[in-house]
Amino acid sequence: MEDNRELKEKETETAEAEEKAVKKRDSDRLGTEPVHQLLLKMSAPLMVSMFVMALYNIVDSIFLGMYSTDALTAVSYCFPFQNLNAAFGIGTAVGMSALLSRYLGAKDYDRADKVAHNGFILVAINYSIFFAGGCFAPQIMSLMTSDNTNAQIIADGTIYLRITQWLSFAPMIQSMFERLLQGTGKTKYIFYMQLAGTLFNAAVDPILIFGLLGMPRMGAKGAAIATVFGQLLGCVLGHLFNRHFNKEVALSLHKIRPHWQTMKDIYRIGIPSIVLQSVGALMNFSINKILAGFSDLAVTTFGVYFKLQSFVFMPIFGMNNGSVPIIAYNYGADRKDRLEQTMSLGVRYGVGVMAVGTLIFWLFPEQLMSLFSAPPEMVKMGVVALHIMSLNFPFAGYAIMRGAAFQALGKSVYSMNISLVRQLLIIIPCSYIYAKIGGVNMVWWAFPTAEIAGVAMSVFYTFKIRKEILSKMTPR
């Protein structure tokens, strides 16, 4: 009996040792591969997947623009609340991913496992909030629109908002699966998840919106259904990819047990990211209210700009997310040289890509607006808006990539402060003042104004982390 017990104990110890060896081999490349090659390898799938995600978001608007301008306007009014939903889902996932990478860098696999499972508990909490929000969709639409908004826009927006919020667990869980793959360096599978959802959405959208293949003509309702079912497909694939290919984190239902300190640590990193993105939703809501004072068409133009600019911003967010686990891992491993090299390369790539985006917006504004079947007066307004607001892209590229370093080094509050200034404390007052001074076209200048302030703060905080953190690390 004693011999059997000793044999079982040895077998258990051997299995655990083998599991840790696999984890070490898979995650150690974050601290050994050449930084330039690693950053591209980590970021490229995420950049492509974010680009695909931008396409995912824009498909609804393109088909709805073909369906009716009212339906497109309704979705534009819903956009701030959708951003708020994404803020909670992505922010929580970012906190989980950064903490996971840090523990993997420190070879603390048990705590990394606990982080992954407690992240899903936080998803359930977040979802319950937005499910309740869906129950109050009519009231939310009344708050977001103006007194002059026509009844069809409000009706379309209400049904779109209700469906997307009642099934909002799908994008939240998908974000968690994506960040688990990101945190362990398996970013190519994120691309597969995003691509599958996008292709599904693009195929089903016209069928449900226009009533093809014997389906009823559903308009905005059809767009909402296609969107959430595409996200559900991403969830299924995310589960399969993590189960079969992510050896660092063995997901299991019986391991999902609340650990308050772990959840607190996830939110310590994630809450600034949630606030950062929530501020974006509040900014979007506030700008919509200002523009609604001019016309619903101005709101639609702003909504179209946001859809288009996601093609430029999403790839940079992909590089941002790709650099976070590299910086976090090497911070945990005390590799100052690799950490600083990742930060420097990220900024150079970020500014370069965003500058290309500005050039595209200046050269092809009419063609970009025509994607949404925009009427002539909307095209005219959109050309001016795209020219002015795209000037902020290179400044934003710098701030976004610096934000990756702040998050990975446990200073997410710096990113939060920058976001508060860029998207709340400067842009909203400037938009209001500019609207009073120069009308609707003057409002667009608030965006470059705010981004310049964001760059100044990013430079200041970069000096702080160099003094408080990097200067105390051991050079290698």
Side-chain angles (χ1 to χ4, degrees):
M1 183 75 73
E2 187 69 28
D3 290 341
N4 288 337
R5 185 163 54 250
E6 290 180 359
L7 181 61
K8 288 182 179 179
E9 289 176 355
K10 288 181 179 180
E11 289 176 347
T12 301
E13 290 174 0
T14 301
E16 290 177 350
E18 290 177 350
E19 182 181 358
K20 289 184 177 181
V22 170
K23 293 178 178 180
K24 185 175 186 299
R25 286 195 301 271
D26 287 346
S27 59
D28 269 2
R29 69 191 186 97
L30 298 176
T32 57
E33 285 191 19
V35 171
H36 190 276
Q37 174 184 323
L38 180 63
L39 180 61
L40 291 177
K41 188 182 295 183
M42 290 283 289
S43 300
L46 284 170
M47 292 175 73
V48 174
S49 73
M50 286 290 191
F51 186 84
V52 170
M53 186 176 178
L55 180 63
Y56 189 106
N57 290 334
I58 207 170
V59 164
D60 284 354
S61 295
I62 290 175
F63 285 120
L64 286 173
M66 297 167 61
Y67 179 79
S68 78
T69 303
D70 283 349
L72 179 59
T73 303
V75 173
S76 297
Y77 274 116
C78 292
F79 196 59
F81 201 78
Q82 285 184 285
N83 273 355
L84 188 63
N85 187 304
F88 276 79
I90 295 174
T92 301
V94 165
M96 180 273 297
S97 177
L99 197 61
L100 178 71
S101 294
R102 189 181 302 174
Y103 287 144
L104 288 174
K107 308 297 184 294
D108 192 343
Y109 302 114
D110 292 335
R111 294 179 76 179
D113 214 43
K114 192 176 293 182
V115 167
H117 288 86
N118 274 264
F120 286 94
I121 297 175
L122 296 177
V123 165
I125 296 171
N126 292 338
Y127 169 63
S128 65
I129 297 171
F130 287 95
F131 179 88
C135 296
F136 294 95
Q139 291 84 352
I140 292 172
M141 280 302 299
S142 296
L143 178 65
M144 292 192 291
T145 55
S146 69
D147 294 336
N148 297 323
T149 302
N150 72 55
Q152 187 59 51
I153 291 175
I154 295 175
D156 285 344
T158 297
I159 191 65
Y160 187 91
L161 193 61
R162 183 172 285 157
I163 292 172
T164 54
Q165 299 314 302
W166 280 350
L167 296 176
S168 61
F169 65 87
M172 290 182 181
I173 293 176
Q174 183 176 347
S175 292
M176 293 300 292
F177 283 139
E178 288 174 355
R179 292 316 184 277
L180 283 173
L181 292 166
Q182 172 204 330
T184 53
K186 298 172 180 62
T187 52
K188 67 178 181 180
Y189 298 108
I190 299 176
F191 167 67
Y192 300 149
M193 293 168 61
Q194 293 286 355
L195 182 61
T198 299
L199 292 177
F200 179 90
N201 189 43
V204 175
D205 248 337
I207 296 173
L208 299 183
I209 291 173
F210 299 106
L212 306 179
L213 302 178
M215 295 297 292
R217 184 180 173 90
M218 290 189 276
K221 180 180 180 181
I225 293 172
T227 295
V228 296
F229 276 91
Q231 292 164 342
L232 285 170
L233 176 60
C235 286
V236 172
L237 291 176
H239 170 70
L240 293 175
F241 290 149
N242 276 282
R243 181 175 180 179
H244 293 290
F245 304 114
N246 203 347
K247 304 301 182 183
E248 284 88 343
V249 180
L251 295 176
S252 176
L253 285 175
H254 78 270
K255 291 183 180 180
I256 300 180
R257 297 170 183 166
H259 188 269
W260 303 115
Q261 186 58 48
T262 298
M263 288 192 282
K264 182 179 178 181
D265 290 341
I266 291 173
Y267 267 146
R268 184 178 290 118
I269 299 173
I271 281 181
S273 181
I274 292 172
V275 172
L276 184 151
Q277 296 186 69
S278 297
V279 165
L282 178 59
M283 179 272 293
N284 200 290
F285 166 77
S286 301
I287 302 297
N288 276 353
K289 295 294 285 187
I290 292 170
L291 294 174
F294 293 100
S295 67
D296 285 333
L297 196 64
V299 175
T300 311
T301 301
F302 183 55
V304 165
Y305 160 77
F306 248 87
K307 297 290 185 179
L308 290 171
Q309 62 99 40
S310 66
F311 275 101
V312 183
F313 277 78
M314 284 297 187
I316 296 305
F317 288 140
M319 179 160 283
N320 174 295
N321 291 335
S323 65
V324 166
I326 302 174
I327 296 172
Y329 184 98
N330 286 284
Y331 178 44
D334 197 29
R335 292 295 305 270
K336 178 181 179 181
D337 56 334
R338 293 176 60 83
L339 190 159
E340 290 188 315
Q341 191 177 355
T342 305
M343 289 174 57
S344 176
L345 283 171
V347 166
R348 277 184 271 170
Y349 279 126
V351 173
V353 171
M354 296 295 263
V356 172
T358 300
L359 184 63
I360 292 172
F361 273 49
W362 270 80
L363 293 177
F364 308 106
E366 292 92 349
Q367 292 85 344
L368 293 173
M369 292 299 298
S370 68
L371 291 173
F372 301 88
S373 305
E377 61 270 27
M378 183 174 160
V379 172
K380 183 178 179 181
M381 183 183 293
V383 168
V384 177
L386 296 184
H387 278 168
I388 296 173
M389 287 191 282
S390 65
L391 294 174
N392 70 52
F393 290 172
F395 300 109
Y398 179 89
I400 289 168
M401 294 312 300
R402 282 302 186 210
F406 302 153
Q407 289 181 348
L409 296 174
K411 296 293 184 180
S412 296
V413 68
Y414 292 171
S415 296
M416 181 181 69
N417 291 343
I418 293 169
S419 181
L420 286 171
V421 169
R422 287 173 52 233
Q423 301 188 70
L424 193 66
L425 300 181
I426 290 182
I427 198 167
I428 294 176
C430 282
S431 297
Y432 180 80
I433 294 170
Y434 291 171
K436 295 295 185 182
I437 294 174
V440 65
N441 286 335
M442 189 68 184
V443 173
W444 316 131
W445 283 104
F447 288 81
T449 304
E451 291 296 352
I452 291 171
V455 167
M457 289 189 67
S458 296
V459 171
F460 171 74
Y461 282 131
T462 299
F463 279 114
K464 280 183 67 69
I465 64 167
R466 290 191 184 282
K467 179 180 179 181
E468 297 172 0
I469 297 177
L470 301 186
S471 65
K472 298 177 182 178
M473 295 179 69
T474 305
R476 293 192 188 183

